[in-house]
Amino acid sequence: MSKVLKFGGTSVGSSANMRMVAEIIKGENAKVTVLSAMSGTTDSLVKISSLAKNKEDITPVVSFLSDKYTTCVRELLTDYQAAALEKCEQVFSGIANAAASYDGPSTERQILAQGELLTSAIFTFYLKEIGYKAKLINIPDFMFVDENGKVDTDKLKNIKREIETGDKDTFFVTQGFICTNAEGKLDNLGRGGSDYSAALIGAAIDSSEVQIWTDIDGMHNNDPRYVENTYPIRKMSFDEAAELAYFGAKILHPATIQPCKEHGIAVRLKNTMNRNAEGTLITNDGDSQKRFHAVAAKDNITVVRICSARMLMAYGFLRQVFEVFENHKTSIDMITTSEVAVSLTIDNDLNIDSIVEDLKPLGKIEVERNSAIICVVGKIGYSQAGLAAHILESIKSIPVKMISYGASARSMAFLVDSEYKKEVLRLLNNNLFNLC
Ligand code: ADP
Ligand code: ASP
Ligand code: MG
């Protein structure tokens, strides 16, 4: 059964790391290797595009990126060096040309795609250089999204045929993150989207396992960027992983789990820098039996409160509220209701002004920004006394703005001001995990 392996920016961030990736894909017998751009590239491309938009000088950022890539090529390649340097030259002059004739978001998307295109090309040259049979797949020829950003999974299945044309021992290399949109132009699946690309490709080729290789030993019980003494979780269910990814565990793009769960494909999170570490295995095998398994936090949440006496004893009120959000293509994360008020949260406030306008006929509207959702995942069943109390007791010094409990027996979420996020994560780390 074939495996899809995805490597993030740090994993392909230097010539030394690319050498490790080549060893790993051989050891794992990867059928498809999905690559992000070298670390920092996409941020630099975003910067280039915003400079271009403002008609400012892009030269320093382009030179910085070009040096990074040409250094990598010189360190990595001999036989294929000239071809790879030519490819670099082509990509960077293409970026400069696109920037010079900047024409809105489609130019930005075209610029953003170049990191993955170049990294995958260089890595394929390297595989050939060391004698592997390797073939580069241009993923925009297979990965299409419609005007709502939805991936056409039927079209993506064509990639299976492409792969079957290769020898058994051919390593197929492709780009994460990028795709073709409804206008036939280069687009992307959103920041961090390479994980999602790998999951979609895994589903399209009926793979047995999707491996996400990154810079840490698997999914930790808490966010290691803010909390000390976190530890990797060996096994978790698709639903637990999806919940953590959705609520801020950056190691996984939130959409990654869905295609794998649907097709029963195991997801393994592994560390490129410490490849013998066990990592995390995510499968359909039941949720954790631990009371508290992990926590995650998601920032930049906006709360919308609708206060209305019309809600009292009325039916159909919530439908009207939800319709407004649906009309503005904005998804709701958390919701709490009382008899005269509804509070809900969104993470995308692009259309907030029109949403508020459309909600006004329903009642008094308040909008509050800069909140964070904290999600605790575990065996938080309804039949056991004291679990919610234990979580809230742990953070009793922090003002809580909303609580969501009872939607599933696997999680509890609450909302705090963003300024308390790190403190809450630390308090929960100290007070929940010694109980497991
Ligand atoms: P890549 O570039 O390989 O896709 P990311 O930076 O997207 O890597 O994801 C890996 C990072 O996710 C880790 O370095 C870590 O700081 C962060 N992270 C946040 N929450 C978690 C968590 N719960 N477990 C593991 N890593 C996490
Ligand atoms: N390179 C893209 C980003 O930085 C996609 C990814 O790394 O997953 O967002
Ligand atoms: Mg990532």
Side-chain angles (χ1 to χ4, degrees):
M1 293 278 265
S2 54
K3 288 184 197 168
V4 173
L5 270 62
K6 175 260 168 178
F7 293 85
T10 317
S11 302
V12 288
S14 65
S15 57
N17 288 2
M18 285 200 195
R19 287 180 209 276
M20 292 201 287
V21 171
E23 283 172 27
I24 292 170
I25 64 167
K26 183 154 216 174
E28 294 287 339
N29 196 16
K31 184 44 66 193
V32 182
T33 301
V34 178
L35 300 184
S36 294
M38 290 178 83
S39 49
T41 307
T42 314
D43 286 343
S44 298
L45 294 172
V46 169
K47 176 95 190 145
I48 289 171
S49 149
S50 101
L51 289 169
K53 185 177 174 186
N54 299 323
K55 307 233 170 300
E56 290 175 60
D57 185 16
I58 62 165
T59 327
V61 194
V62 174
S63 309
F64 163 77
L65 264 192
S66 161
D67 284 351
K68 185 180 173 86
Y69 277 86
T70 50
T71 303
C72 173
V73 165
R74 291 206 167 89
E75 289 171 359
L76 200 60
L77 301 170
T78 311
D79 298 349
Y80 287 88
Q81 194 183 97
L85 288 174
E86 196 184 318
K87 178 78 190 168
C88 290
E89 165 59 31
Q90 219 180 62
V91 165
F92 288 108
S93 53
I95 290 173
N97 290 340
S101 51
Y102 187 91
D103 187 26
S106 73
T107 310
E108 175 171 33
R109 293 182 202 121
Q110 190 194 337
I111 293 177
L112 257 57
Q114 302 307 314
E116 270 71 12
L117 288 167
L118 189 51
T119 306
S120 57
I122 293 172
F123 184 71
T124 311
F125 281 131
Y126 175 62
L127 293 186
K128 289 182 178 165
E129 173 124 352
I130 57 173
Y132 291 20
K133 272 190 207 157
K135 190 163 179 202
L136 183 62
I137 294 181
N138 185 47
I139 205 67
D141 295 338
F142 297 90
M143 184 87 72
F144 293 88
V145 293
D146 66 14
E147 43 292 314
N148 296 315
K150 191 173 173 298
V151 174
D152 187 332
T153 48
D154 284 331
K155 278 194 185 152
L156 185 56
K157 286 195 179 122
N158 291 330
I159 200 171
K160 193 171 178 194
R161 225 171 302 139
E162 174 78 9
I163 283 164
E164 281 162 1
T165 61
D167 295 337
K168 259 190 140 136
D169 52 352
T170 301
F171 290 93
F172 290 89
V173 179
T174 195
Q175 308 82 28
F177 181 55
I178 63 174
C179 59
T180 301
N181 65 22
E183 294 166 16
K185 294 191 170 148
L186 274 175
D187 208 325
N188 62 68
L189 303 175
R191 293 302 306 269
S194 298
D195 303 332
Y196 185 36
S197 308
L200 290 163
I201 294 167
I205 68 164
D206 301 318
S207 93
S208 53
E209 188 166 302
V210 169
Q211 297 185 353
I212 307 290
W213 288 78
T214 181
D215 56 3
I216 190 164
D217 290 350
M219 177 78 83
H220 280 219
N221 68 311
N222 202 328
D223 197 321
R225 291 170 297 176
Y226 311 121
V227 180
E228 284 174 13
N229 302 323
T230 62
Y231 53 82
I233 296 172
R234 297 297 169 221
K235 277 184 171 181
M236 56 177 32
S237 68
F238 286 127
D239 291 340
E240 287 176 321
E243 203 126 17
L244 289 167
Y246 189 72
F247 286 115
K250 185 180 177 244
I251 185 169
L252 260 191
H253 183 277
T256 313
I257 294 297
Q258 182 261 327
C260 294
K261 180 179 175 184
E262 208 176 300
H263 292 81
I265 303 169
V267 178
R268 206 181 281 275
L269 310 182
K270 292 279 287 177
N271 189 352
T272 307
M273 321 304 153
N274 180 15
R275 87 185 81 141
N276 294 324
E278 206 176 316
T280 301
L281 179 64
I282 304 166
T283 62
N284 236 339
D285 282 354
D287 289 342
S288 155
Q289 294 309 303
K290 288 182 177 176
R291 270 182 279 184
F292 302 118
H293 206 191
V295 303
K298 184 171 167 185
D299 255 336
N300 294 321
I301 301 295
T302 298
V303 187
V304 181
R305 297 185 208 280
I306 304 135
C307 197
S308 171
R310 284 182 46 200
M311 203 179 154
L312 206 61
M313 315 278 285
Y315 49 81
F317 184 84
L318 282 178
R319 180 186 49 76
Q320 293 175 57
V321 171
F322 290 154
E323 255 174 22
V324 171
F325 287 85
E326 188 181 346
N327 292 341
H328 293 286
K329 295 186 175 164
T330 300
S331 74
I332 297 167
D333 287 335
M334 241 172 107
I335 172 157
T336 57
T337 63
S338 80
E339 203 41 50
V340 288
V342 185
S343 289
L344 39 83
T345 70
I346 54 175
D347 65 1
N348 165 11
D349 64 1
L350 216 64
N351 299 322
I352 189 70
D353 293 341
S354 358
I355 290 174
V356 169
E357 263 330 289
D358 290 0
L359 285 173
K360 272 183 185 164
L362 298 177
K364 186 170 151 278
I365 314 299
E366 282 172 23
V367 174
E368 209 178 306
R369 291 192 166 78
N370 296 326
S371 296
I373 294 180
I374 315 286
C375 176
V376 182
V377 166
K379 199 163 185 290
I380 307 176
Y382 332 111
S383 53
Q384 217 178 334
L387 290 177
H390 186 99
I391 293 170
L392 293 175
E393 174 70 21
S394 308
I395 54 150
K396 65 179 176 207
S397 55
I398 308 288
V400 173
K401 303 205 288 188
M402 274 171 79
I403 298 175
S404 169
Y405 176 73
S408 85
R410 150 185 355 103
S411 69
M412 171 170 165
F414 51 90
L415 193 80
V416 296
D417 274 337
S418 281
E419 61 177 300
Y420 298 117
K421 180 182 89 172
K422 291 181 196 167
E423 195 180 341
V424 168
L425 289 175
R426 286 184 200 123
L427 286 168
L428 292 173
N429 219 51
N430 294 339
N431 291 300
L432 298 190
F433 298 106
N434 51 355
L435 273 180
C436 301

